Amino acid sequence: MNYLSINDIDSLSTWVKEAIALKKQPKKFKTLGNDKTIGLLFFNNSLRTRLSTQKAAMNLGMEVIVMNFGSEGWALEYVDGTIMDQGTSEHIKEAAQVISQYCDIIAIRAFAGLVDKELDEAEEVLNGFKTYASVPIVNMESSVGHPLQALTDAITLEEHNFKNNPKVVLSWAPHPRALPHAVANSFIQMMQKQNAEFVITHPEGYELDPNITKDSKIEYNQEKALENADFVYVKNWSSYTDYGQIKSQDPNWQMTLKKLGKAKFMHCLPVRRNVVVADEVLDSEQSLVIEQANNRTYAAQLVLKKILESNEN
Amino acid sequence: MNYLSINDIDSLSTWVKEAIALKKQPKKFKTLGNDKTIGLLFFNNSLRTRLSTQKAAMNLGMEVIVMNFGSEGWALEYVDGTIMDQGTSEHIKEAAQVISQYCDIIAIRAFAGLVDKELDEAEEVLNGFKTYASVPIVNMESSVGHPLQALTDAITLEEHNFKNNPKVVLSWAPHPRALPHAVANSFIQMMQKQNAEFVITHPEGYELDPNITKDSKIEYNQEKALENADFVYVKNWSSYTDYGQIKSQDPNWQMTLKKLGKAKFMHCLPVRRNVVVADEVLDSEQSLVIEQANNRTYAAQLVLKKILESNEN
Amino acid sequence: MNYLSINDIDSLSTWVKEAIALKKQPKKFKTLGNDKTIGLLFFNNSLRTRLSTQKAAMNLGMEVIVMNFGSEGWALEYVDGTIMDQGTSEHIKEAAQVISQYCDIIAIRAFAGLVDKELDEAEEVLNGFKTYASVPIVNMESSVGHPLQALTDAITLEEHNFKNNPKVVLSWAPHPRALPHAVANSFIQMMQKQNAEFVITHPEGYELDPNITKDSKIEYNQEKALENADFVYVKNWSSYTDYGQIKSQDPNWQMTLKKLGKAKFMHCLPVRRNVVVADEVLDSEQSLVIEQANNRTYAAQLVLKKILESNEN
C-alpha cells in the first residue's frame, strides 16, 4: 500500500482510534520494522515532518536514511523521452527503481513550485516515484496534499471531543510569501469524511480547487463563518485561480482571541506570529498547535505500521 | 538537568574521574539510552562536536537525529511580540516545544555573530530553547561558552598528571578571521575551579569579558607568561571590547617549540598550522590536541549519561 | 586493510563469489559490526554510493555517521608546511587523526577537480586520510578510481553467465559536462583481472591514462569494437591528455539498440537518457543498470565485512 493522499485511508475513524492507541504505547511494535529501512527523501526543507517521521520509524525499529536531494543529490528528470542534455542528471525511472532496492519504504517531500499549475498538479515527483518505485511510497507533503498532516489533525480533533457534530472552520490568513495549497486541500478532504458542520472562509479570489472543495460550504465573511465555531483551523494559501499569486495581505484576516471566541485554535506550523495569528491566541490554552505537532509522530507511525503489516501478508 | 555552561558541573574533579572511567568502558552503559532520542541541532558547522556527540549518544544506546537548521530547516524568530512578516518563519516558542516532543534531549550549536555584543550575550538560541523546551538542553558551543570543550580539557589535563599546582597558560594567537570567545571563556571558567597557577596572556586590546576573567591573572608579555609553564592552551579570539574586531595579526604571538619549552600544548581544533601554532609543535610529542579531540566523546557521554540518569529519578 | 583501489582485491573471483553469497543472506552477519561505527565522508554529492554503503553497513549491524564536508564541515588543507592563512581551516593531519578516534572505518568520496591533472592524481583527500588516519579507509570514488563500482560490475557480470571468454566492450559516450575518469579506470583494471576479450572504444583524443589501460585493446571504430559483444559498458569521460576538456559531443557515439545487438547493457548511473544511451536500451531487458545499482550494496557489504574481520585478528 501507498499513502499518497487522504483517500488512502479506508476508515478514518478506525485509523484515528488506532493512532491514539499507538500514542499510548509508542514502543509496542518496536520490532515490527526490524531489518527494514525507510528512505526519507526531501526535495524541500522540513522540521516537524522530518523529525516526526524519523521518530515514528525508529519507534517501529526501522533504520532511517535521510537524504536532502537538493544539497546532497542532484536534479532529477521526470519527463519521458527527454534528451537529457540540460540540468537534470538522472531520470526518475532509474532513481526510483534504484532507491527501491535500498529502502523498504520511500517517503517524499516535494512542494508545489506555484508557477505552473498544470505541472504542480501532475505531481511529477510523487507520481514519478509511485510509478517507478517497487516499494510503498509515503507522501510527506506534495504539491497537492499533505495527508500526514490531515491525519494528525483528525487525531487532534478526536482527542478534543470532536463529536456531536461540532462546527469546524478553515480560515485563510495573510502571509508575506506565496504558500502552497497542500495543507488546506488535505484538511478539507479529511473534513469531508467527518460528521461536522464544516465551513471554509477566505477573501474572494482565494477559492481553492473546486475538485477539492466540492460542496463544502464557502463563506466569504469571516466573522459570520466563525460564529459559534468549536475548532478554527487557520492557514494561508496563495491564489489558486490566479495561480501562486498573493491577492491580499489584509491584516483583518489575522486570527485574534476575539474572533476565535471559545473555539480551539489549530495550525499545522510553522506559523508567523502576529501575521497569521496573534500571540494571544498561540499563547492561550485554546491553542492546540503543539499537540498537533506531537500527533505528527503517531500519524506517521500508524501509516508506517500499516505499510509494514500489509507487506507481511 | 541542562548542560549550558561549566557552572552546571557540580564537582569538576568527580566529573573528570567519572569521564575517565567511562573512557575505559565506553559501552558499559550501552542500554541506558535505549528508546531515547537526542536531537543535535546545528546552526553552525561542526566536525568534532558533531561526530563525538553522535558517538557518545550511540555509546549509550540512544537514537540520534542530526539537523542542520541552516540548510535543512528555516530561520527562527527569537524576539517576543514580533510581527513576523520578514525573514523568520517560525518562533522559538513553537520550535522548542515541538522538538521537545520528538527528542528526549536537545543539543544545540549556535555561534556568536560577533556583530552585536548584547545580542550575542543574550544567547537567544540557547536561552530560547532553555526557556521553551520541556527537555534537557546541552550546549554544543554557544555565543558565550563551549562547556563540552572545557570538560574535555579538564579530562585531558587530569590524564597528564595535572597535580601539584601546575602552571597553565592560556595564550592568544593570531588568526586571519574574527573568532568567538566561547572556547576561551569556558576554559577560563574551568581553570578557575582548579588548583593551578593560571595565567592568561594576549596583546592589549584583547581583554575578555571581565565577568568571565574575574581575578584570573592577565599578563600582556607572552614570554613572561610562558615561563615555566606546564600546559599551554593556545586559542585565537577577536576583540571583546572593540567587539568582534581583529586588532592584531602579529605573527610573534604564534606558538613555537622554543616558546613552549617543556610544556604540553593544547588547542581545541580546528587549528591553522603555522599561523596559530608552528608545525613543529603540533607534530611534537608535546601536543595533546588529538587526545583532546578523543576526550570530546567521553565529555559528551558523561553529560548525556548524567542527564539520562537524572531523568530516571 | 584498506579498500582504495581494485588492486586491494586479492582474488577477484573469490570476492565475487562471496558477494553473491552475501546477497542471498544479507543479514547473516548482522552482529559482526555491532559497536562499530563507520563514517561516510562526502566531499561530493552521491545517491547510490551513499544509500548502498549506508545500507551495507546497517546490514552488518554498524552505526553509520554521514557527513557532507562541504555543507556541514569546512575546507581541509592537504599540503605539508603550508601557512594556513587562507581558505582552509583544518589540516588533514588533524582531521584524519581525529575522525579515526570516532570511527572504526572511514569511507571517503572526493572527485577529481579535472583542472590540474597532477593534483588529481596525487589523490590528496584519499591519500591524506590513508596517511594520517589510524583506521581502515574505503574509497567511495576518488579522482582516479571507483573500486566499489568495479567490484559491483564484476558481481553483475558473474550473475549474467560471465564465462567462456565473453567479449566485453567499454564504450565512451557523449555528455554535456566534463566527467572524471574514475569509473572507466576501475572498470578497466577490473577487466584486466578477468578472462575475457576486452576492448575499449572511444574517439581519438579520449585515450585514458596509459598506466591504467596498459595493453588493453583500444579500437577507435565503435562499430568494429561492438561486433559480437556480450557486454557493453557505456561511460562518458573527459579528455585525459587534454586534461578535463570536452573534445567531442558527437551524438553518433550514443548507445542504441541497433549498436548494442544482443549484448547486455551496463552503466554505473546516473545516466543521461538519449544523450549517453537511448531510452530503448535502458527500457529493454538487455539493460543491467538497475541490477548493477542493487549490487552496490553487496560490494560495499563484502568490503566492510572483510575489513571488520581483518581487524578482529
Side-chain angles (χ1 to χ4, degrees):
Chain A
M1 66 171 276
N2 294 319
Y3 188 68
L4 303 176
S5 88
I6 207 77
N7 295 324
D8 290 319
I9 298 177
D10 50 14
S11 163
L12 181 58
S13 62
T14 308
W15 285 43
V16 165
K17 280 193 196 80
E18 289 173 353
I20 291 172
L22 262 184
K23 187 177 179 177
K24 285 175 187 150
Q25 294 181 281
K27 292 286 183 175
K28 186 173 176 186
F29 302 92
K30 64 188 281 187
T31 61
L32 179 65
N34 281 182
D35 296 346
K36 302 285 181 187
T37 302
I38 185 168
L40 308 185
L41 309 186
F42 288 96
F43 293 81
N44 295 95
N45 285 12
S46 172
L47 172 58
R48 267 155 293 280
T49 296
R50 183 191 148 100
L51 298 185
S52 64
T53 310
Q54 198 164 348
K55 176 85 177 203
M58 298 190 309
N59 280 347
L60 294 167
M62 302 188 80
E63 300 276 8
V64 180
I65 295 177
V66 176
M67 183 160 173
N68 299 300
F69 247 80
S71 61
E72 300 179 313
W74 38 71
L76 297 183
E77 177 62 49
Y78 298 94
V79 181
D80 224 18
T82 310
I83 297 171
M84 289 170 58
D85 57 2
Q86 301 297 318
T88 56
S89 298
E90 180 157 11
H91 202 282
I92 181 67
K93 287 188 186 181
E94 275 73 53
Q97 289 183 78
V98 164
I99 298 170
S100 298
Q101 299 179 117
Y102 308 138
C103 298
D104 301 284
I105 301 175
I106 299 174
I108 296 156
R109 161 162 286 198
F111 289 171
L114 294 180
V115 173
D116 179 336
K117 185 192 284 194
E118 207 175 326
L119 186 68
D120 283 351
E121 298 196 335
E123 294 272 33
E124 56 179 14
V125 183
L126 193 69
N127 282 329
F129 277 96
K130 178 191 165 191
T131 305
Y132 297 111
S134 53
V135 298
I137 302 295
V138 173
N139 180 351
M140 298 195 296
E141 187 173 343
S142 68
S143 293
V144 174
H146 194 354
L148 284 172
Q149 181 66 48
L151 177 54
T152 297
D153 298 334
I155 297 167
T156 310
L157 286 168
E158 175 66 21
E159 290 182 322
H160 285 273
N161 300 307
F162 181 79
K163 48 194 172 191
N164 300 320
N165 203 31
K167 181 172 181 184
V168 178
V169 181
L170 171 62
S171 181
W172 180 91
H175 197 283
R177 292 176 52 208
L179 296 189
H181 312 93
V183 169
N185 286 348
S186 290
F187 185 76
I188 291 166
Q189 290 177 310
M190 182 274 289
M191 284 309 303
Q192 288 166 349
K193 292 172 180 279
Q194 301 272 19
N195 291 317
E197 182 191 346
F198 179 53
V199 183
I200 304 168
T201 181
H202 55 69
E204 291 192 52
Y206 274 96
E207 291 75 15
L208 289 157
D209 181 358
N211 293 316
I212 300 278
T213 53
K214 290 178 178 160
D215 54 2
S216 288
K217 184 176 173 187
I218 296 169
E219 166 59 62
Y220 296 115
N221 181 325
Q222 191 193 33
E223 192 181 341
K224 201 167 163 191
L226 292 171
E227 269 172 17
N228 299 314
D230 295 295
F231 297 91
V232 176
Y233 200 102
V234 173
K235 183 77 188 80
N236 169 268
W237 59 87
S238 57
S239 175
Y240 178 77
T241 43
D242 197 357
Y243 194 68
Q245 296 304 300
I246 295 177
K247 312 289 287 182
S248 163
Q249 298 196 338
D250 183 355
N252 289 318
W253 280 83
Q254 187 186 130
M255 188 54 49
T256 60
L257 262 189
K258 189 180 169 196
K259 287 187 195 175
L260 188 63
K262 295 183 175 175
K264 300 288 188 184
F265 173 79
M266 299 178 75
H267 189 282
C268 60
L269 303 181
V271 68
R272 289 178 175 246
R273 284 175 166 252
N274 304 312
V275 177
V276 168
V277 52
D279 277 341
E280 59 182 18
V281 174
L282 282 166
D283 297 334
S284 78
E285 296 204 343
Q286 287 167 259
S287 172
L288 305 183
V289 299
I290 304 301
E291 293 178 50
Q292 283 175 270
N294 190 29
N295 286 333
R296 292 294 307 274
T297 299
Y298 309 103
Q301 194 171 334
L302 182 71
V303 167
L304 299 183
K305 176 173 172 282
K306 284 184 175 288
I307 290 173
L308 288 168
E309 287 169 345
S310 75
N311 279 22
E312 279 182 343
N313 303 330
Chain B
M1 66 171 277
N2 294 319
Y3 188 68
L4 302 177
S5 89
I6 207 77
N7 295 324
D8 289 319
I9 299 177
D10 50 14
S11 163
L12 182 58
S13 61
T14 308
W15 284 43
V16 165
K17 280 193 196 78
E18 290 174 353
I20 290 172
L22 262 184
K23 188 177 178 177
K24 286 176 186 150
Q25 294 181 281
K27 291 287 184 175
K28 186 173 176 186
F29 302 92
K30 65 189 280 188
T31 60
L32 179 65
N34 280 181
D35 295 346
K36 301 284 182 187
T37 302
I38 185 168
L40 308 185
L41 308 187
F42 289 95
F43 293 82
N44 295 94
N45 285 10
S46 173
L47 173 58
R48 268 155 293 279
T49 297
R50 184 191 147 100
L51 298 185
S52 64
T53 310
Q54 199 164 349
K55 176 84 176 204
M58 298 189 309
N59 280 346
L60 294 167
M62 301 188 80
E63 300 277 7
V64 180
I65 295 178
V66 177
M67 182 160 175
N68 300 300
F69 247 81
S71 61
E72 300 179 312
W74 39 70
L76 298 183
E77 177 63 48
Y78 299 94
V79 181
D80 224 19
T82 309
I83 296 171
M84 290 171 57
D85 57 1
Q86 301 297 318
T88 56
S89 298
E90 180 157 11
H91 201 282
I92 181 68
K93 287 187 186 182
E94 275 72 53
Q97 289 183 77
V98 164
I99 299 171
S100 297
Q101 298 179 118
Y102 308 139
C103 299
D104 300 285
I105 301 176
I106 299 174
I108 296 156
R109 161 162 286 198
F111 289 170
L114 294 179
V115 173
D116 180 335
K117 185 192 285 194
E118 208 175 327
L119 186 68
D120 283 350
E121 298 196 336
E123 294 272 33
E124 55 180 15
V125 182
L126 193 69
N127 282 329
F129 277 96
K130 178 190 164 193
T131 305
Y132 297 110
S134 53
V135 298
I137 302 296
V138 173
N139 180 351
M140 297 195 297
E141 187 171 344
S142 67
S143 293
V144 173
H146 193 355
L148 284 172
Q149 181 65 50
L151 177 54
T152 298
D153 298 333
I155 297 167
T156 310
L157 286 168
E158 175 66 22
E159 290 182 323
H160 286 273
N161 300 307
F162 181 78
K163 49 194 173 192
N164 299 322
N165 203 29
K167 182 173 180 184
V168 178
V169 181
L170 171 63
S171 182
W172 180 90
H175 197 284
R177 290 175 54 207
L179 297 189
H181 312 95
V183 169
N185 286 349
S186 290
F187 185 77
I188 291 167
Q189 291 177 310
M190 181 273 289
M191 283 309 304
Q192 288 165 350
K193 292 172 180 279
Q194 301 273 20
N195 292 317
E197 183 191 345
F198 179 52
V199 182
I200 304 167
T201 183
H202 54 70
E204 291 193 52
Y206 274 97
E207 291 76 14
L208 289 157
D209 181 356
N211 293 316
I212 300 278
T213 53
K214 289 178 178 160
D215 54 2
S216 288
K217 185 177 173 185
I218 296 169
E219 167 58 64
Y220 294 115
N221 182 324
Q222 190 192 34
E223 192 182 339
K224 199 167 164 190
L226 293 171
E227 269 172 18
N228 298 314
D230 297 293
F231 297 92
V232 177
Y233 201 102
V234 173
K235 183 75 188 79
N236 168 269
W237 59 86
S238 56
S239 175
Y240 178 77
T241 44
D242 197 357
Y243 195 67
Q245 296 305 301
I246 296 177
K247 312 289 287 183
S248 164
Q249 297 197 337
D250 183 355
N252 289 317
W253 280 82
Q254 187 185 130
M255 188 53 50
T256 60
L257 262 188
K258 189 178 169 198
K259 286 187 197 175
L260 188 63
K262 295 183 175 176
K264 300 288 189 184
F265 173 79
M266 298 179 75
H267 190 283
C268 61
L269 302 181
V271 68
R272 287 177 175 247
R273 283 176 167 252
N274 304 312
V275 176
V276 168
V277 52
D279 276 342
E280 59 182 18
V281 174
L282 282 167
D283 296 336
S284 77
E285 295 203 344
Q286 288 167 259
S287 172
L288 305 182
V289 299
I290 304 302
E291 294 177 49
Q292 284 174 270
N294 190 29
N295 285 333
R296 293 293 308 274
T297 300
Y298 309 104
Q301 195 171 334
L302 182 70
V303 167
L304 299 184
K305 176 173 171 282
K306 284 184 176 288
I307 291 173
L308 289 168
E309 287 169 344
S310 74
N311 280 20
E312 279 182 341
N313 301 330
Chain C
M1 66 172 275
N2 293 320
Y3 188 67
L4 303 177
S5 89
I6 206 78
N7 295 324
D8 289 319
I9 299 177
D10 50 14
S11 164
L12 181 58
S13 61
T14 308
W15 284 43
V16 165
K17 281 193 195 79
E18 290 173 353
I20 291 173
L22 261 184
K23 187 177 179 178
K24 285 175 187 151
Q25 294 181 280
K27 291 286 184 175
K28 186 173 176 186
F29 302 92
K30 64 189 280 186
T31 61
L32 179 65
N34 280 182
D35 296 345
K36 301 284 181 187
T37 302
I38 186 168
L40 308 185
L41 308 187
F42 288 96
F43 293 82
N44 295 95
N45 285 11
S46 172
L47 173 57
R48 268 156 292 280
T49 297
R50 183 191 147 99
L51 298 186
S52 64
T53 310
Q54 199 164 350
K55 177 84 175 203
M58 296 189 311
N59 280 347
L60 294 167
M62 302 188 79
E63 300 276 8
V64 180
I65 295 177
V66 177
M67 183 160 174
N68 300 299
F69 247 81
S71 61
E72 300 179 313
W74 38 70
L76 298 183
E77 177 63 48
Y78 298 94
V79 181
D80 224 19
T82 311
I83 297 171
M84 290 170 58
D85 57 1
Q86 301 298 319
T88 56
S89 298
E90 181 157 11
H91 201 281
I92 181 68
K93 286 188 186 181
E94 275 73 52
Q97 289 183 78
V98 164
I99 299 171
S100 298
Q101 299 179 116
Y102 308 138
C103 298
D104 301 284
I105 301 175
I106 300 173
I108 296 156
R109 161 162 286 198
F111 290 170
L114 293 179
V115 174
D116 180 336
K117 185 192 284 194
E118 208 175 325
L119 186 68
D120 283 350
E121 297 196 335
E123 295 272 34
E124 56 180 15
V125 183
L126 193 68
N127 282 329
F129 276 96
K130 178 192 165 193
T131 304
Y132 297 111
S134 52
V135 298
I137 302 296
V138 173
N139 181 351
M140 297 196 296
E141 187 172 342
S142 68
S143 293
V144 174
H146 194 354
L148 284 173
Q149 180 66 48
L151 176 55
T152 298
D153 298 333
I155 296 167
T156 311
L157 286 168
E158 175 66 20
E159 290 182 322
H160 285 274
N161 301 308
F162 181 78
K163 48 193 172 192
N164 300 321
N165 203 29
K167 181 172 179 184
V168 178
V169 183
L170 172 62
S171 182
W172 181 90
H175 197 283
R177 290 175 53 207
L179 296 189
H181 312 95
V183 169
N185 286 348
S186 290
F187 185 76
I188 291 167
Q189 291 177 310
M190 182 274 288
M191 284 308 304
Q192 288 166 349
K193 292 172 180 279
Q194 302 271 20
N195 292 317
E197 183 191 345
F198 179 52
V199 182
I200 305 167
T201 182
H202 54 69
E204 291 193 53
Y206 274 98
E207 291 75 14
L208 288 156
D209 181 358
N211 292 317
I212 300 279
T213 53
K214 289 178 178 160
D215 54 3
S216 288
K217 184 176 173 187
I218 296 169
E219 168 57 65
Y220 295 114
N221 182 325
Q222 191 192 33
E223 192 181 339
K224 201 168 162 190
L226 293 172
E227 269 172 16
N228 299 314
D230 296 294
F231 296 92
V232 177
Y233 200 101
V234 173
K235 183 76 188 78
N236 168 268
W237 59 86
S238 56
S239 175
Y240 178 77
T241 43
D242 196 358
Y243 194 68
Q245 296 304 302
I246 295 177
K247 312 290 286 183
S248 164
Q249 296 197 336
D250 182 356
N252 290 318
W253 280 82
Q254 186 185 132
M255 189 53 49
T256 60
L257 262 189
K258 189 180 170 197
K259 288 189 198 174
L260 188 63
K262 296 183 173 174
K264 300 288 188 186
F265 173 79
M266 298 178 75
H267 190 283
C268 61
L269 303 183
V271 68
R272 287 175 176 251
R273 284 174 167 254
N274 304 312
V275 177
V276 168
V277 53
D279 277 341
E280 60 183 18
V281 174
L282 282 167
D283 296 335
S284 78
E285 295 202 346
Q286 288 167 258
S287 171
L288 306 183
V289 300
I290 304 301
E291 294 178 49
Q292 285 174 269
N294 191 29
N295 285 333
R296 292 293 308 275
T297 300
Y298 308 105
Q301 195 172 334
L302 182 70
V303 167
L304 298 184
K305 176 173 171 282
K306 284 185 176 288
I307 290 173
L308 288 169
E309 286 168 346
S310 75
N311 280 20
E312 279 182 342
N313 302 331

